[in-house]
């Protein structure tokens, strides 16, 4: 069966510090991978998605970047965090055969920038 | 510009009664719709979906209705149980398109409280 791991679960970082959140998927090959953010009152916002190694698409201009160094690894990064980067970050995957089908989410990372 | 809207931020229902969660969308190109349930500090879990060729899909206590002409879908939970208390997200996507159009667009969510 497929599983998705996301860490850390919670993170408190000072403004201006770097960020690295990691997500890995097991039990499937060539998944589509996504980073979402849930900010207060804004629902789930798609930040990045990837259909393959090294292929990253950004949905929203921001202070963040994403990378996919391996097939089942997706990393969300920032060089300098802003207060507005606080939120609940979710990694998700969907079968690589079709976009737009249901996505399966990790447990999320609660990021607080202070 | 919100393409998927859940206009009710919260809903309170008595145990055993019906919960109706509503969702509206603006993009007529969406052809696949999903509902997710989310508990605090956890990732959303998939509940039920419907493609645009159907107007109803049922799975146990959960039924999703789609009205394409009104660009409206709803999730019915019958009977509601206290364990159903969570935030419910509506999402829309494209089954048959690639690129950025293939991703899910989420509403802001509706917090459902089912009281014993």
């Amino acid at each position: 069966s497929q599983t998705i791991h996301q860490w850390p679960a919670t993170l408190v970082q000072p403004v201006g510090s770097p960020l690295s959140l990691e997500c890995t998927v097991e039990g499937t090959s060539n998944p589509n991978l996504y980073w979402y953010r849930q900010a207060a009152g804004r629902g789930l916002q798609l930040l990045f998605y990837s259909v393959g190694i090294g292929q990253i698409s950004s949905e929203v201009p921001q202070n963040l970047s994403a990378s996919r160094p391996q097939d089942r690894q997706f990393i969300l990064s920032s060089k300098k965090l802003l207060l507005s980067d606080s939120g609940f970050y979710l990694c998700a995957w969907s079968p690589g055969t079709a976009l737009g089908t249901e996505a399966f989410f990790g447990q999320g990372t609660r990021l607080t920038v202070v | 510009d919100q393409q998927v809207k859940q206009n009710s931020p919260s809903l309170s229902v008595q145990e055993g009664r019906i919960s109706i969660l509503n969702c509206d969308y603006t993009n007529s190109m969406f052809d696949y719709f999903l509902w997710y349930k989310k508990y605090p500090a956890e990732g959303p879990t998939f509940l039920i979906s419907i493609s645009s060729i159907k107007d109803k899909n049922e799975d146990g206590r959960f039924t999703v209705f789609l009205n394409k002409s009104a660009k409206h879908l709803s999730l019915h939970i019958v009977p509601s149980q206290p364990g159903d208390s969570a935030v419910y997200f509506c999402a829309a996507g494209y089954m048959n398109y690639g690129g950025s159009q293939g991703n899910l667009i989420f509403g802001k969510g509706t917090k459902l409280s089912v009281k014993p």
Side-chain angles (χ1 to χ4, degrees):
Chain A
S1 64
Q2 300 89 3
T3 56
I4 179 168
H5 302 280
Q6 184 182 342
W7 66 92
T10 59
L11 192 59
V12 180
Q13 292 283 98
V15 168
S17 64
L19 173 74
S20 180
L21 302 180
E22 190 164 342
C23 172
T24 59
V25 180
E26 296 176 0
T28 186
S29 296
N30 196 31
N32 299 316
L33 297 173
Y34 310 86
W35 279 109
Y36 286 88
R37 176 171 61 197
Q38 184 188 10
R42 298 191 64 180
L44 281 169
Q45 183 183 36
L46 178 64
L47 302 176
F48 301 94
Y49 75 96
S50 171
V51 298
I53 296 174
Q55 301 179 60
I56 308 295
S57 294
S58 174
E59 290 293 301
V60 181
Q62 60 232 318
N63 183 41
L64 303 168
S65 62
S67 62
R68 186 170 177 173
Q70 300 179 39
D71 180 46
R72 287 169 286 178
Q73 184 184 28
F74 206 24
I75 298 172
L76 182 69
S77 304
S78 174
K79 293 182 179 178
K80 288 184 179 180
L81 283 169
L82 306 172
L83 287 174
S84 58
D85 292 324
S86 294
F88 191 57
Y89 289 83
L90 290 150
C91 180
W93 75 274
S94 67
T97 52
L99 292 174
T101 56
E102 55 262 34
F104 303 91
F105 287 82
Q107 290 297 294
T109 297
R110 171 69 62 189
L111 172 66
T112 304
V113 182
V114 296
Chain B
D1 180 28
Q2 250 189 300
Q3 297 189 65
V4 178
K5 300 178 184 178
Q6 292 177 258
N7 292 319
S8 298
S10 63
L11 175 68
S12 184
V13 172
Q14 205 67 32
E15 181 179 5
R17 307 295 291 269
I18 183 172
S19 295
I20 300 177
L21 298 129
N22 293 303
C23 178
D24 296 293
Y25 60 97
T26 57
N27 191 336
S28 59
M29 297 297 288
F30 288 138
D31 58 10
Y32 193 68
F33 304 90
L34 309 91
W35 284 95
Y36 282 82
K37 175 180 178 180
K38 184 182 180 301
Y39 293 116
E42 294 184 9
T45 55
F46 170 73
L47 260 183
I48 192 169
S49 64
I50 187 168
S51 76
S52 59
I53 62 173
K54 295 185 175 182
D55 55 18
K56 177 183 175 181
N57 189 26
E58 193 172 352
D59 184 2
R61 297 186 296 114
F62 302 92
T63 302
V64 56
F65 295 92
L66 176 63
N67 182 334
K68 288 187 291 293
S69 60
K71 295 191 182 69
H72 177 84
L73 66 154
S74 60
L75 174 68
H76 292 210
I77 306 174
V78 183
S80 301
Q81 299 173 356
D84 295 329
S85 297
V87 176
Y88 289 79
F89 288 98
C90 168
Y94 312 81
M95 279 285 284
N96 301 309
Y97 294 90
S100 64
Q101 294 179 324
N103 299 295
L104 296 176
I105 309 297
F106 284 83
K108 290 185 177 181
T110 297
K111 184 176 182 179
L112 173 66
S113 299
V114 180
K115 298 181 177 179

